[in-house]
Amino acid sequence: MVVAGVMSGTSADGINVALVRVRVNLRGRGRPRHTIKLLGHAEYSYSARVRSAILAAMNSEQARVADLARLNFLLGEVYADAVRATERQFHVKAELVGCHGQTLYHQGDSQTFLGRKVFATWQTGEAAIVAARAGVPVVSDFRPADMAAGGKGAPLVPYLDCLLFGDPKIGRIVQNVGGIANLTAIPAGASAERVVAFDTGPGNMVIDAVTEALFGRKFDRGGEVAASGIVLEPVLGQILRRKFFQTAPPKTAGREEFGREFVRDFLRQCAGCRKEDVVATATALTARSIGEAVRRLVTSKSNHSFREMVLSGGGARNATLVAMLAEVLAPLGIQLRFSDEFGLPSEAKEAVAFAVLAYETWNRRPSNVPSATGAKRAAVLGKISYA
């Protein structure tokens, strides 16, 4: 089956679409064996007005109900346009779409609301619109089923990580650096039940926000600004002592932890410093928080030997971040590699993941990883909208 995976991350910079052919050999009563082939991948930037509307919607103190409803339907049209454009580009017609949607709010831990403990998540982008325009069924809203089973609804990409990067002899840490950074630690020869996965902290989100605030650019292309700066170690050390970085998994993060308020406080702590140094410190925050997560929460908690980190996501294109990350991993004996080396372009991985998750849902198979999300049981994820 050909499945289109659609992903738009917490950076809210645009849409990734991957066209994927998925086949499964059920092998009797054994585990299904997946064959996953990427047929094509494309990226589409949100227009400035759409991105502005998304970022405004993430501000829960000011969002208007009417605007939220309109944005839901608008993004459905935008996602559908992206799917159809990708189909035309690669001359491939999808039979199914897996659309993650745009996360506006994610609260993986229960909090008291109207006298009752609740958890909550919201990915917007009307799947019925995508199904109607693309002419095929759409699987969307993947997180709630895991949360209903006692999980945090994230991370969900570990299911793909286990399929693609598990190795009988080498322990691997699969690290994605999107808006938020997250890892999947796969011991050599491990089954999914022994995999550990969690959000390590900010990925590109803080770097992008600081670069835009100080230089008027959407992001630090190639890490050029950070490369000309010096890390402000006192600021970095103080931030890394925050509760999130000390908390054991399972744990998730989003703009609630590292969005506007965090960036405002970060810039306040860096007041009076060279702008280049501030961007360098934001970049080091991503690299060091990943390194500390690996050291404290993966290698020191396991008797398994991890030898490789497989990097993906937009952060893989930031040369300064990559260099910082390689430096913090070296003392741990972990070699840095890229998902491109395994035939999967780093920027396509999460879109591919949601294509595979959609395929599993369509075939009524669970695709969460309870050891990663904290769920009490495996769950079939998502909701299906028919064309």
Side-chain angles (χ1 to χ4, degrees):
M1 174 180 266
V2 176
V3 189
V6 183
M7 176 66 190
S8 48
T10 49
S11 292
D13 49 2
I15 305 164
N16 287 279
V17 180
L19 293 170
V20 184
R21 178 172 282 115
V22 187
R23 293 192 179 97
V24 171
N25 180 356
L26 295 177
R27 297 191 299 179
R29 292 187 176 183
R31 291 182 178 275
R33 181 177 180 180
H34 293 71
T35 301
I36 301 166
K37 182 179 181 181
L38 178 62
L39 304 177
H41 168 251
E43 298 180 64
Y44 305 91
S45 297
Y46 284 132
S47 70
R49 294 177 66 188
V50 170
R51 184 169 190 264
S52 178
I54 291 170
L55 294 177
M58 291 175 178
N59 178 11
S60 59
E61 299 300 322
Q62 298 180 11
R64 296 174 60 243
V65 172
D67 290 340
L68 294 173
R70 292 165 182 151
L71 181 63
N72 180 46
F73 277 75
L74 173 67
L75 287 179
E77 300 285 1
V78 172
Y79 292 149
D81 290 346
V83 170
R84 291 185 294 178
T86 307
E87 289 175 330
R88 290 193 297 269
Q89 179 180 343
F90 294 100
H91 308 288
V92 174
K93 175 60 181 174
E95 302 165 78
L96 180 71
V97 174
C99 185
H100 174 60
Q102 180 67 58
T103 300
L104 295 185
Y105 183 77
H106 185 73
Q107 176 204 308
D109 296 312
S110 63
Q111 297 180 15
T112 302
F113 178 71
L114 300 181
R116 188 159 184 168
K117 290 281 190 178
V118 297
F119 43 76
T121 190
W122 190 1
Q123 285 71 50
T124 194
E126 183 51 60
I129 296 292
V130 181
R133 305 295 182 260
V136 297
V138 175
V139 182
S140 63
D141 213 11
F142 290 87
R143 298 197 193 282
D146 179 81
M147 298 174 79
K152 294 182 178 295
L156 298 180
V157 175
Y159 187 81
L160 177 73
D161 291 338
C162 294
L163 294 178
L164 294 185
F165 301 110
D167 188 275
K169 297 181 179 179
I170 299 174
R172 288 193 176 119
I173 298 168
V174 185
Q175 179 75 53
N176 182 72
V177 182
I180 293 295
N182 51 74
L183 67 74
T184 305
I186 312 171
S191 61
E193 291 78 14
R194 293 165 56 205
V195 167
V196 175
F198 56 92
D199 289 348
T200 58
N204 303 313
M205 181 183 296
V206 175
I207 303 170
D208 292 350
V210 169
T211 302
E212 187 165 13
L214 298 180
F215 291 91
R217 307 177 193 172
K218 288 185 178 180
F219 58 94
D220 181 14
R221 186 180 298 276
E224 294 176 358
V225 175
S228 64
I230 298 172
V231 176
L232 304 169
E233 293 291 348
V235 174
L236 181 59
Q238 184 175 350
I239 292 174
L240 287 174
R241 287 193 289 272
R242 292 194 176 197
K243 181 181 177 180
F244 175 85
F245 300 111
Q246 308 302 318
T247 302
K251 59 179 179 177
T252 64
R255 286 190 176 274
E256 295 75 28
E257 289 77 21
F258 299 109
R260 184 184 59 183
E261 290 77 13
F262 178 91
V263 171
R264 183 187 297 125
D265 184 56
F266 179 84
L267 291 172
R268 182 188 57 77
Q269 293 183 67
C270 298
C273 299
R274 291 176 65 243
K275 294 191 292 184
E276 293 81 0
D277 296 347
V278 179
V279 176
T281 304
T283 306
L285 172 60
T286 294
R288 300 264 190 98
S289 59
I290 292 171
E292 280 297 291
V294 171
R295 183 184 66 82
R296 292 181 55 255
L297 303 175
V298 177
T299 58
S300 68
K301 300 290 186 181
S302 171
N303 58 2
H304 301 288
S305 178
F306 292 92
R307 290 288 174 259
E308 296 180 348
M309 174 178 281
V310 182
L311 188 63
S312 65
R317 293 178 285 188
N318 184 323
T320 303
L321 173 59
V322 170
M324 289 179 173
L325 187 54
E327 183 179 357
V328 299
L329 293 176
L332 301 175
I334 297 175
Q335 177 188 1
L336 190 60
R337 301 182 65 182
F338 297 86
S339 66
D340 304 67
E341 300 174 42
F342 297 82
L344 182 60
S346 60
E347 64 273 14
K349 195 187 88 169
E350 289 198 306
V352 171
F354 283 99
V356 173
L357 293 178
Y359 179 84
E360 297 297 81
T361 298
W362 186 251
N363 288 280
R364 300 182 182 181
R365 288 192 291 266
S367 56
N368 64 332
V369 179
S371 62
T373 65
K376 295 179 175 62
R377 58 176 173 80
V380 178
L381 304 180
K383 301 165 186 174
I384 300 176
S385 300
Y386 292 91

